Amino acid sequence: MEKIIYLISRQNEQNRDDFATQMKHDIAPQLLATKPLGLQLNIVDETVAAGDAMAMESIASKADAVVSVWLDSSIDRTPTEEILASSGASFAGYLVSESCPLRNTTKAASPGEKTPGFAQVALLQRPIRLSFEEWITIWQYSHTQIAIDTQSTFSYTQNLVVRPLTANAPKIDAIVEESFPLEALTDQAVFYNACGDGEKLARHSQAMMESCARFIDFDKINVCPTSEYIYKSVTH
């Protein structure tokens, strides 16, 4: 089984609401009809509009939606890409190795319904100052627990990019998915799991930023809050 992530960019003339409706009610059902092993849609819609200020765009790969599909083999992806192409949006696809250090066991939703809260999606490039071994060791063997300990995250997925699957896909080394309570969109105390404790907020935010700086160049990262819809879970 292989996981593929597609970063979808809507046409400039298409507004966010129309695009979200198309992806949720037209494209996702078509993808589900191809019988993938798993299917998830993350989309920047009005539900997470309050978090627009959180967005960062330094990598030339704007993602208005993220489609994750699990297949027996990535060589079987042609039907998926034909459906995505029919949307009129542009997309870049990546084969990834998925790691789930924190699974969502508390915020379940029915298939196709919005997962409670929001999912922050980050696109990362490995800094040239770090070898791959240094980068992956800091990120997965040190930073992972710091992120879990200092934030109100209830789900955390790390996708290491194995290789791009579409022509001209921007260079991306990792795609991260972290889920938070919806209130964390506008309240840093909620985001850093420090409600009512200013000292804890300062301590958690500083620890998180210092840890991120070890393996992320902040001029080579994209971040956007999304709504998550799981149409078919690979665990069910």
Side-chain angles (χ1 to χ4, degrees), residues 52-119:
D52 283 352
M54 299 174 63
M56 300 172 62
E57 290 182 11
S58 302
I59 301 172
S61 185
K62 187 176 185 298
D64 297 298
V66 180
V67 172
S68 298
V69 59
W70 288 258
L71 303 174
D72 283 320
S73 171
S74 59
I75 65 176
D76 300 325
R77 68 185 186 276
T78 298
T80 298
E81 294 185 356
E82 288 177 345
I83 292 168
L84 294 177
S86 73
S87 72
S90 60
F91 60 89
Y94 302 86
L95 178 66
V96 303
S97 175
E98 179 187 46
S99 174
C100 298
L102 180 62
R103 289 193 178 275
N104 177 8
T105 60
T106 61
K107 311 285 185 184
S110 299
E113 297 297 320
K114 182 184 179 301
T115 303
F118 74 96

Side-chain angles (χ1 to χ4, degrees), residues 137-158:
T137 298
I138 295 170
W139 176 30
Q140 293 195 333
Y141 290 89
S142 175
H143 173 78
T144 295
Q145 194 60 50
I146 293 172
I148 292 172
D149 290 343
T150 61
Q151 300 177 116
S152 57
T153 322
F154 62 83
S155 178
Y156 187 13
T157 300
Q158 300 168 332

Side-chain angles (χ1 to χ4, degrees), residues 2-95:
E2 294 187 306
K3 180 180 181 181
I4 304 171
I5 294 182
Y6 292 97
L7 308 178
I8 319 294
S9 300
R10 60 185 167 90
Q11 298 178 6
N12 291 334
E13 64 271 16
Q14 190 172 25
N15 68 44
R16 178 158 58 184
D17 285 348
D18 291 343
F19 177 69
T21 297
Q22 178 190 26
M23 292 300 299
K24 288 185 284 189
H25 301 298
D26 180 19
I27 299 302
Q30 289 186 59
L31 293 173
L32 192 60
T34 66
K35 301 186 185 304
L37 300 176
L39 177 64
Q40 176 180 311
L41 170 64
N42 288 70
I43 191 158
V44 182
D45 60 15
E46 285 302 313
T47 306
V48 296
D52 283 352
M54 299 174 63
M56 300 172 62
E57 290 182 11
S58 302
I59 301 172
S61 185
K62 187 176 185 298
D64 297 298
V66 180
V67 172
S68 298
V69 59
W70 288 258
L71 303 174
D72 283 320
S73 171
S74 59
I75 65 176
D76 300 325
R77 68 185 186 276
T78 298
T80 298
E81 294 185 356
E82 288 177 345
I83 292 168
L84 294 177
S86 73
S87 72
S90 60
F91 60 89
Y94 302 86
L95 178 66

Side-chain angles (χ1 to χ4, degrees), residues 212-225:
C212 286
R214 294 181 299 156
F215 72 102
I216 296 173
D217 285 344
F218 292 111
D219 62 346
K220 295 181 177 65
I221 181 174
N222 283 15
V223 178
C224 65

